[in-house]
Amino acid sequence: MPPRRTGLALLAHLCVSLAAAASYSVVDYGAVADGQTDCAGAFLRAWSAACAAEGEGPAAVVVPAGEFLVSRARFSGPCRGGTVAVNISGTVLAPVPYAGVQLWIVFQNVDGVSVTGGTLDGRGQAYWACRRAGSGSSCPAATRSLTIYRSRNVVIQGLTSLNSAGIHVTVQASTGVAILDTVVSAPGDSPNTDGIHIKQSSNVTIRDAVIGTGDDCISMVEGSSDVWIQGVRCGPGHGISIGSLGDTPEQVAVRNITVKAVTLAGTTNGLRIKWWVKANRGLVDGVEFSDVVMRDVRNPIIIDQNYCPGNVSCPTEGSGIKISNVSYTNIEGTSATPVAVRFDCSPSRPCTGITMRNIWLEYGERRRAAESFCRNAHGVTYGQVVPPSCLAAQVMSCYK
């Protein structure tokens, strides 16, 4: 079931009323489009003026064409006049070699904000080089480019996020967020550069995004609910993931996730649910994957309830996460590995309620027969399922 279109309704309202809005250009508050002068203060002053404005329409913060260096900026609400539109025509640059902060651009405690157009360039190349060199603790914290935190009714449309040192877009502790027509780009070997990361948030819509990164294109962790993902192209990257979950005791449920009409190409995973092999409790329930095209994906469909990166000092107590009601419908394409479907679930908390309907996945460019792997997985199949399902009735009966 799709989340409420709160963000889309807000966008329509902003488009209608923007003509009557007062505009606050960052240049009028001291910003210089030379790519070298720190414009953080000018950006914040323009925001404060727009946030304090009162009128019939939303106030608009305007970032004109050019390159603007911003060391860091936290745009806080609530705003007196309600909605604020941030219209970006230029490019906002992060400091180099390192931003030196965990969060670069933050919208916090806002209600009714749109961010439209423009480019955020995280310039994370120096940080990635530090990570690749194995410098370990000498590398600073990875800077996240854009964070929506404790906010409501936020629309991000037409934004391009380039080369974030860490996660590109984070939605945390928020509700009613729409991310539309967005481009996220970083090299496939850039470490931990998730495209869009959702945590403790509800009613989130992601539509018509093009995402290529060195980590998950989209990741959803504890507290994510009522998320609607549609029309996304993913690759390179690690696919679309729920998790990882279960690493800490305070995990909460992930519910009502819909992923449809997406394409994954050359990714290390396709549709993935992953949780640590730890006894910490949690729940994944009500997940729908449909109308998905895979091209040369290493693990097209995977549930991994024994997640332990690197397989070093892995816990052995068994997963405490319960998974139920996950469906896969109209999934087709090619796997880069012989096993196209892998359900590796825990004996202590076996997967239940898996539904597979109209699946056609083959191995390699020559489209050879692929395989399925199941362990402690319960479910049913409908229609044509290739490779043949291993959700056998006799396996299910062992856990009645």
Side-chain angles (χ1 to χ4, degrees):
M1 186 167 125
R4 304 331 84 206
R5 307 298 183 169
T6 308
L8 300 181
L10 173 65
L11 177 63
H13 167 71
L14 291 175
C15 291
V16 169
S17 57
L18 190 56
S23 294
Y24 301 85
S25 172
V26 296
V27 173
D28 294 337
Y29 290 85
V32 180
D34 61 2
Q36 299 178 5
T37 303
D38 187 0
C39 301
F43 274 57
L44 290 171
R45 287 190 292 272
W47 168 265
S48 295
C51 193
E54 294 183 271
E56 294 182 0
V61 175
V62 177
V63 181
E67 294 186 336
F68 298 89
L69 174 66
V70 173
S71 54
R72 65 183 299 184
R74 185 179 295 267
F75 304 106
S76 298
C79 291
R80 182 180 301 173
T83 57
V84 175
V86 180
N87 301 325
I88 307 173
S89 297
T91 298
V92 183
L93 301 175
V96 290
Y98 307 121
V101 295
Q102 186 173 8
L103 304 178
W104 177 33
I105 306 293
V106 181
F107 289 89
Q108 178 175 324
N109 296 325
V110 299
D111 186 349
V113 167
S114 71
V115 180
T116 304
T119 298
L120 301 181
D121 189 345
R123 301 201 286 184
Q125 291 88 342
Y127 175 78
W128 307 332
C130 182
R131 287 285 305 274
R132 294 190 192 105
S135 302
S137 59
S138 65
C139 300
T143 300
R144 302 184 179 195
S145 284
L146 175 63
T147 300
I148 310 300
Y149 182 62
R150 290 185 176 176
S151 296
R152 301 171 56 87
N153 304 323
V154 176
V155 175
I156 301 169
Q157 185 176 41
L159 179 72
T160 297
S161 178
L162 300 177
N163 299 325
S164 177
I167 296 172
H168 284 255
V169 180
T170 301
V171 179
Q172 183 172 351
S174 297
T175 185
V177 177
I179 302 173
L180 315 171
D181 303 311
T182 300
V183 175
V184 175
S185 180
D189 62 349
S190 55
N192 303 118
T193 52
D194 295 56
I196 300 172
H197 181 71
I198 304 169
K199 180 177 182 179
Q200 298 167 342
S201 296
S202 61
N203 294 334
V204 178
T205 299
I206 302 170
R207 294 189 62 163
D208 302 324
V210 178
I211 304 174
T213 72
D215 210 298
D216 295 325
C217 290
I218 300 172
S219 55
M220 294 158 278
V221 296
E222 64 268 21
S224 300
S225 65
D226 298 310
V227 177
W228 183 274
I229 299 167
Q230 183 174 358
V232 172
R233 285 187 287 160
C234 169
H238 295 182
I240 297 175
S241 295
I242 296 174
S244 59
L245 300 169
D247 188 27
T248 57
E250 64 272 12
Q251 303 286 343
V252 294
V254 174
R255 300 177 185 272
N256 302 332
I257 309 297
T258 299
V259 179
K260 68 178 299 182
V262 303
T263 300
L264 301 105
T267 53
T268 57
N269 300 284
L271 310 172
R272 175 168 63 162
I273 302 174
K274 55 178 177 175
W275 49 82
W276 286 82
V277 56
K278 294 183 178 181
N280 298 322
R281 294 286 174 162
L283 175 68
V284 176
D285 182 70
V287 181
E288 299 180 4
F289 300 108
S290 65
D291 304 319
V292 179
V293 176
M294 310 273 191
R295 294 289 179 261
D296 195 35
V297 174
R298 289 182 58 86
N299 299 291
I301 295 175
I302 179 169
I303 295 178
D304 183 3
Q305 209 168 0
N306 298 291
Y307 181 69
C308 181
N311 293 316
V312 177
S313 302
C314 296
T316 59
E317 61 261 39
S319 175
I321 300 290
K322 176 63 176 175
I323 180 171
S324 59
N325 302 318
V326 178
S327 67
Y328 303 87
T329 304
N330 300 333
I331 316 290
E332 67 92 8
T334 57
S335 172
T337 54
V339 179
V341 178
R342 178 179 292 272
F343 297 134
D344 189 5
C345 302
S346 169
S348 59
R349 304 281 283 180
C351 304
T352 61
I354 298 173
T355 301
M356 304 188 75
R357 179 183 284 106
N358 300 334
I359 312 296
W360 191 276
L361 294 169
E362 297 172 297
Y363 170 40
E365 293 182 358
R366 297 184 179 181
R367 293 188 172 269
R368 290 171 286 180
E371 303 171 12
S372 296
F373 172 86
C374 292
R375 180 160 53 190
N376 307 312
H378 305 180
V380 296
T381 63
Y382 300 94
Q384 192 169 37
V385 175
V386 177
S389 170
C390 52
L391 298 168
Q394 61 266 28
V395 176
M396 297 171 62
S397 65
C398 295
Y399 299 94
K400 288 183 178 179

